[in-house]
Amino acid sequence: MKPNSGTLVINIMNGGKAEAYEGVYQCTARNERGAAISNNIVIRPSRSPLWTKEKLEPNQVREGDSLVLHCRPPVGLPPPIIFWMDNAFQRLPQSERVSQGLNGDLYFSNVQPEDTREDYICYARFNHTQTIQQKQPISVKVFSMDSLNDTIAANLSDTDIYAKPVTERQPVLLTPTGSTSTKVELRGNVLLLECIAAGLPTPVIRWIKEGGELPANRTFFENFKKTLKIIDVSEADSGNYKCIARNILGSAHHVISVTVKAAPYWITAPRNLVLSPGEDGTLICRANGNPKPSISWLANGVPIAIAPEDPSRKVDGDTIIFSRVQERSSAVYQCNASNEYGYLLANAFVNVLAEPPRILTPANKLYQVIADSPALLDCAYFGSPKPEIEWFKGVKGSILRGNEYVFHDNGTLEIPVAQKDSTGTYTCVARNELGKIQNEVQLEVKDPTMIIKQPEYKVIQRYGQVSFECIIKHDSTLAPTVIWLKDNDELPDDERFLVGKDNLTIMNVTDKDDGTYTCIVNTTLDSVSASAVLTVVARPNPPFDLELTGQLERSVELSWIPGDENNSPITNFVIEYEDGLHESGVWHYQTEVPGTQTTVQLKLSPYVNYSFRVIAVNEIGRSQPSEPSEQYLTKSANPDENPSNVQGIGSEPDNLVITWESLKGFQSNGPGLQYKVSWRQKDVDDEWTSVIVANVSKYIVSGTPTFVPYEIKVQALNDLGYAPEPSEVIGHSGEDLPMVAPGNVQVHVINSTLAKVHWDPVPLKTVRGHLQGYKVYYWKVQSLSRRSRRHIEKKILTFRGNKTFGMLPGLEPYSSYKLNVRVVNGKGEGPASPDKVFRTPEGVPSSPSFLKITNPTLDSLTLEWGSPTHPNGVLTSYVLKFQPINNTHELGPLVEIRIPANESSLILKNLNYSTRYKFYFNAQTSVGSGSQITEEAVTIMDEAMASRQVDIATQGWFIGLMCAVALLILILLIVCFIRRNKGGKYPVKEKEDAHADPEIQPMKEDDGTFGEYSDAEDHKPLKKGSRTPSDRTVKKEDSDDSLVDYGEGVNGQFNEDGSFIGQYSGKKEKEPAEGNESSEAPSPVNAMNSFV
């Protein structure tokens, strides 16, 4: 035995025989608490005996007969593996006719001449001893019926009987023999049933189970269905199995009755039992088998019947009952379940123990889980009697109870759905009657890792770039790692794959990149993943294997095999053709078919050497063309069609040019393409004149009358004949210039810029061509207002068709015009009609060319102007209007003056000094006023008056007024201060808090404000006669007493009781002017002007 071990070592390498150690062994382990024993261990030496010597006679067999070559291997331990070979160590071929049985014999259902040989050798391989034993070779000679009859004929007379020819025979079973047999197999083993039959032709074997079905998934057929194999058999597999051998002459069958027995197997094996003194318990040993096993008990390896008695123990069949055990009741009990096919042995230790509780889980063990997942807190314990376990949370927490917790028998506390508030310290308490112990563990609940932006399905064209996003959110205390997979495998080792912090980018995408990409985010506690599919699309590959079938004179069938569609379905196929006879190398569109079609019937033209190619089309684009098909030359025929677009148009007055579009090469339908050109004058009883031409698309007929209609036709022909009769077209011989001018030209003037002209149409015969319309030439002779001539510029208006009137727009008023009218045909214009003179009436003039205002004085201005560029009539007068503009940009009363038309200047007197005026000036004719021109000017200021205005600040009355205002402000401040100290109705401080800036929240008039100005005034419409001030000064309508007029820069407000609180608005004294405050520097002069 090995030291400190129960292992027994038997070594015969240094001598000794294995047979000396053959026997049954059993191991017993014993201490003061009891003894346990092992199962029986059987040791048998392996054996590989030699074949016994035997004399083997040659086997002479008639062709078609059955034959069995017996192997009869020596009995070895374990049994050998049998196989048949020849002298060259090649396995002999087996088939439905020749096969090896389970017993190792070689069976021939019927022998054939090729079975003749002298080296049928049976081998037995003993795996345990690694040896192979060989039987002596067996000789087989097969006599064919023909050779046998030849031998008989040479030795016998004519009256002797010859050997019968090979005849077919119905099946006969070689093994098993008889009609029935039995088979016993143990539960869980492999059931093998065999049937081998003789017969000619070779029989076929079929298996059935009487009264049932062969078990599915456990049934297999081997050795050409001669062996039925059922694995893992059970009692349900018992029954009758029939094998049927059948050929064309009949059948044979055999029934095998199978009984499944069972060695003992456990139903309930006894388990170790830990009891404390005074407790009760049971050991149960239940087993089953066929036949039913018997149960026996041992105590410490001794049959319980002769073991030392224990008053607390009682045996009841397969159960031992313990009552009020004592410490001396500890022992190892063995249960033995046996039947004729085997036995079971199990040890169970009954340990009577008195131990205080112990907790085996380490103290302060840290558990980390993800929120909303289960948390399992261990409390492995030991004690006898079995301790009771309680759990607490926190230092002074109460015992945990309720449906939110699960308490396992092994002491584990389960929180099925842990939340963030589940984090904390948990205490496990184990107690029994011998003591109590506790242990603390820590639980941390982390936020789950989430993919907040998952990769999405992408479709990308080949050689493009694609990105998959994988943006995550995780607990700040966990360090995630991101892994990308392609088709559940690592990404290819390719620099085109760029893995970023939260994305995967694939550059220059190729077809092999197609697949499923998965983003996996791992932390120490959880793992999440998201996948997306990348589909790489491209133009389809070109079709291939083009084939022409069903060749006819005017049709052929083309078929092809589509190329790879590259993940984008083919929508259609385009078929093109090449005419190698007429246009080699030029491909033309033939037709197209849906993408689901791979054959098409094509219409053909005669005398064309066709080649076809196919182009596949999908949403991405067109494939490369396929390789051309084989060529197919169609037979010649008469032309099917005539030239198109036949026309007859003369180029000269005495000819007719006939043109047409020539047929294309494949339209000729044969060699020798020509054209028969025919013509005759329409509405004249003439015969057709014809001419045949080739290689042209035009023919000129000379000596024709001017512009007469002709009937024309052009017919195609080739060496095989004419095309169908062509349709006739109408043409005309050449045109000439029209002969006469339109007459009775009349002009009706509608207004100063528009006139209407009328004329009589010319006779169609005089047009001598296709009437295209009339042209009106008109030009201005002179302006009646200026009597000056200028360069004459003629204008032309064209009126299409047979129109006899038209409008002349854009005329100049008060002018003299001339016009004439001409008829137009395809050749050109006819003679002009006599010039017609007409005049336009007066209109309103344009604005004066300029207006200048010069020489300003205290009360006068000088105006100069230029006459209108376009007077459009006789000027009757000029109209001057003007009005003053004050400092608030308001417009004063409007004054109007009429000035004779021959004047060009005017001095305006009696104007106000230092005043801006606005002037409006326009000219008039008898029709009315023209557009006006405007200007502004200012009269100058008197120096003495300016001096008086500047010195006003030093006048006593003004100084007194200012002092009075200052005194009034001081009194108001004192009143406000007194009211504030008395807790007045409107404390200034509260006003400050409520309205930090009086301009932002001004008081309304009904709230007692006075003199307040708001920016909102800018949006009110100006009063009549006023305009918006440009310098944002206060309008005259505002209070004259407002402090704003004095440029103080403070927006004052008054309370209902009259106290002035503007001083407390928080505004600085030097703050820039806002709202209506003047942007100019404050001065007394401005103050005075505001009162005017």
Side-chain angles (χ1 to χ4, degrees), residues 920-933:
Y920 312 89
F921 193 68
N922 63 278
Q924 285 187 333
T925 63
S926 60
V927 177
S929 299
S931 55
Q932 66 184 12
I933 183 171

Side-chain angles (χ1 to χ4, degrees), residues 193-209:
L193 304 178
E194 182 180 57
C195 273
I196 302 177
L200 187 67
T202 302
V204 176
I205 306 297
R206 186 169 66 93
W207 291 89
I208 62 173
K209 182 179 181 183

Side-chain angles (χ1 to χ4, degrees), residues 181-220:
S181 61
T182 60
K183 173 76 172 181
V184 176
E185 190 57 76
L186 290 182
R187 178 179 181 270
N189 286 356
V190 176
L191 173 65
L192 294 174
L193 304 178
E194 182 180 57
C195 273
I196 302 177
L200 187 67
T202 302
V204 176
I205 306 297
R206 186 169 66 93
W207 291 89
I208 62 173
K209 182 179 181 183
E210 294 182 345
E213 298 289 335
L214 295 175
N217 302 324
R218 295 189 293 116
T219 301
F220 303 92

Side-chain angles (χ1 to χ4, degrees), residues 786 843-849 867-872 875 922-924 930-932:
R786 297 191 177 185
V844 297
S846 63
S847 62
S849 57
S867 60
T869 306
H870 301 285
N872 294 338
L875 296 181
N922 63 278
Q924 285 187 333
S931 55
Q932 66 184 12

Side-chain angles (χ1 to χ4, degrees), residues 508-549:
N508 196 22
V509 173
T510 63
D511 291 338
K512 65 181 181 180
D513 299 330
D514 201 274
T516 300
Y517 289 83
T518 303
C519 167
I520 301 177
V521 184
N522 293 318
T523 67
T524 54
L525 298 181
D526 63 347
S527 176
V528 291
S529 65
S531 299
V533 174
L534 173 63
T535 300
V536 181
V537 297
R539 296 184 299 172
N541 293 349
F544 57 95
D545 282 357
L546 272 64
E547 183 179 5
L548 296 178
T549 56

Side-chain angles (χ1 to χ4, degrees), residues 439-458:
N439 186 38
E440 290 183 352
V441 296
Q442 308 296 324
L443 174 63
E444 292 181 357
V445 181
K446 308 290 187 179
D447 288 326
T449 305
M450 295 184 294
I451 300 178
I452 58 177
K453 184 66 180 296
Q454 298 187 355
E456 298 177 346
Y457 172 73
K458 295 291 179 71

Side-chain angles (χ1 to χ4, degrees), residues 21-27 38-44 343:
Y21 299 97
E22 186 173 2
V24 178
Y25 293 77
Q26 191 173 44
C27 171
S38 70
N39 284 323
N40 290 340
I41 302 170
V42 179
I43 294 180
R44 298 178 64 188
Y343 79 98

Side-chain angles (χ1 to χ4, degrees), residues 987-998 1000-1003 1064:
V988 175
K989 178 60 179 173
E990 292 181 9
K991 288 292 183 177
E992 284 183 309
D993 294 338
H995 305 291
D997 189 342
I1000 295 177
Q1001 303 221 10
M1003 297 179 67
Y1064 295 86

